[in-house]
Amino acid sequence: VASSVVLGCGRHLPPTAVTNEELAPALGVPAAALSERTGIARRYYAADGVGASDLACEAARSALSAARAEPADVDLIIFATMTPDIAFPGSGCFLQDKLGCRTVGALDVRAQCAGFLFALATADRFVRSGAVERVLVVGAEVHSTALESAPRAADVTPVFGDGAGVVLLGPSATPGVLATVLHSDPTDFERFWCEFPASRHVPARMELAQLHAGLHYYRLDAAAVHPQAERALGEVTREALARAEVSPAAVALLIVHYFDPRVARRAATAAGFPEERVLATAEAAGHVAAAGIPIALADALAVGRVGQGDVVCCAAFGAGMSWGAAVLRL
Amino acid sequence: MNSRVLGLGHHVPERRVTNADLTRVMDTSDEWIQQRTGIQERRFIAADAGPSDLALPAARDALREAGVAATDLDLILLATLSPDIDFPSSASLLQRHLGVRGMPAMDVRNQCSGFLYMLAVADQFIRTGAARYILVCGAEVHSTGLDLSTIGREVAVIFGDGAGAAVLGPEPDPRRGILSTHLHSEGKYAEKLMIEVPTGRQRPRVTPEMLSGPGSRLWPRMEGRYVFKHAVTRFPEVIQEALAAHGHTPADLDLLIPHQANLRISQMVAAGLELPEEKVFNNIQRYGNTTAASIPIALHEAVGEGRVQPGALVCLAAFGAGFTWAAALVRW
C-alpha cells in the first residue's frame, strides 16, 4: 500500500463547560490569576459515570459518518489515553463493544499527551504494510475525575479538560500521511507525572497513606517543562516537514498541542509560522492530553479552516517526556 | 521485508512463593491449586520493584544476544497491565534504566494478549522500513495488586511477577521471521476479568472506600468459569486463523507457545488441535500466570532448551482480559 490517508475525523466534548470563575473558589486563587498562570479560560467536564470510551464512541460515530463508513468497516482500533475507563482492560475493548465493531483488534497505547501521534504513526504502519485497511485512531480523556480541588492544585487543575477525537485512517494510492516523527526522553519525567497507584510499591500498589498524601494526583512543574517543550516542538515540526519534503509556506495549518497555549504559539513562531496559520489546542477546551490533536483537526475541518488537499502539520509535547509531529495531506 | 527475533531474555524475581507458602496466609491447598491451574510456585518481588525494573535485565540479555546496542534502538515498547506508576508509561521508565533517549517509548495495554499486540505493532514498523531495531518487553508485577487473603484466593493463586524481552530486526527472507499476526477483541466481556480502580468514569477516581476492606476495587476480579469457557474456544480459533493464512494445519506446527493462563486451558487447546505434548510448551508450573510476560519468558526458555530449531514453525497465541485474543505465526 502506497500510503494511508484521513478518511474522516470527529470529536466530542462533554456538554458541561467549566470556567475559571467556577474553579477559583476551591483553588483559592482569583479567576484572573488562573487565566494568567495557565493561558486557559475554560474546559469541559464529563458527567459522573462517563468514561473515555463513552466520549470516544460519540467522536467515532462522527468520524465514521464523515467518512461515510460503518462500525463494521473498522479493521483495527488504536486507543490512546492516559485516563482509561478502568485500570484494565483497555478502553479500546469498551469502544469495540459500544460502537458495535466486529471482533477486531483493540490496541491500547500509552504515550501521554503525545499519545495520539504515537497511535497515528502506528496506524499508518498497519495500513502501509497491508495488514489492515481501516483503522480507527482514538484519543480520549476524562481528566476531571483525577483532579484535585485544593489550593495546592491551583497550577495543575485548571490546565486539564475532558474530550475525545477520532480519525478514521485508510489506504490511499496518493500520499496522505506524509511523515510521522516520534521521540521520548525520560531524563526528567518527574517534572510531569502521577505516581500512584504504583505496582512497584510493596506491599500494595496503593494504600490509604498515599491517598491521604495526595500521591494519586498529577504533579506538574510547568516552569521546568516549558523551555524543553518550546525547543522540542519547534525542532520536531521542522524535522517532520523536512521528512515530508514540505516547506512551512505550503502548510495550511499548524496544530500545536501543549498544555500552555502561549508556549505552543511561541514554538510555532520560532518554526516560521505566522499566527493566523497556527492553532494552539489548549485555547478552546484546555489540555485534553491524547485527544487534543484530533479535536482540533475536527474543529478546523468543521469550520472550513482546512479542507481536502490541504497540508496540515500536527505537533505535540507532553509527559514522558514524549513528543512528535505528523504531516498530513487531507 | 519481514521482522524476526534477533535476541531474547527473561528475568523473574528470586523470591519463590510455593502453594504451601500461600496456605499460610489463605485457606487453600497445594492440591486445589494444582488441580485447577497446574501451578506449583510463582515469583513475587521482595522489595520495591516495578515491571520496568524486571524488564531491564531481560532487555539487556536480549540486546546482547541480538548484538544490538541500546542506543541503536528505534523504538522501545513495553506491554503490561501493572504499570510501575500511573504515568508516564513503563516503557519510559525502562528507557531511563537503559540510559538512552531520543527514540520513542510507548506502552501497550492489552493484558494477557499484550505481548502479541506489541509484536504486531513492532512487526508493522519494521516491515514498512520505519524502524530497524525494536525492543519489545512484556513485564508484570502482580504481587502488589493481589488480595492474598482467603477472600481473594481464586484470583491471587494464579498470578506471578516476571519479565521477558525480545529484540526484533529486519529479515530479508520472506519465508522466515514473523509471518503474520492476528488480533481480536470483544469488549462485551470487559468486566469479566478486570481491575476497576482507578476508574476515570467515577468522580473522584479513587476514594478510601474503593481501597479498603475485603471488597476493595483495587484487586482483580474474575469470573473464572466464564474466562475458561471463552479461552478454550478463542485459542484454537485464532491459532487456526494464523495457520490457515499460510496454508498450514496444526500438524505442520513444530511448537505451540500458548500464553500461560492456566495449564488446564493449554491442555484442552492442545487436545482439541490434536497436538502431542512435546509440541506444546508450558512453564506455568514454575511462574504462574505472568500475563504480558508469559510468552517471551516461555519462548526464551523453549529456545534455551533446544525446542525451537532454525526453520521451525512456531505459533504464539494468547487469550485474556478484554476479552482480547491474538496469535503470531513465526518461521524460526
Side-chain angles (χ1 to χ4, degrees), chain A residues 191 221-235 258-260 263-264 266-267 317 321:
Chain A
R191 287 172 174 173
D221 181 356
V225 178
H226 286 342
Q228 188 186 0
E230 189 174 334
R231 191 173 57 246
L233 284 165
E235 282 173 7
Y258 182 61
F259 65 80
D260 189 316
V263 174
R266 282 206 300 272
F317 183 95
M321 315 310 275

Side-chain angles (χ1 to χ4, degrees), chain A residues 6-12 56-70 74 99 135-138 165-169 294 298:
Chain A
V6 173
L7 301 174
C9 188
R11 61 86 153 157
H12 178 73
C57 192
E58 299 290 331
R61 289 200 178 109
S62 297
L64 288 170
S65 158
R68 295 194 180 82
E70 301 290 327
V74 174
L99 200 56
V135 186
L136 211 49
V137 192
V138 182
V166 173
V167 159
L168 184 70
L169 207 67

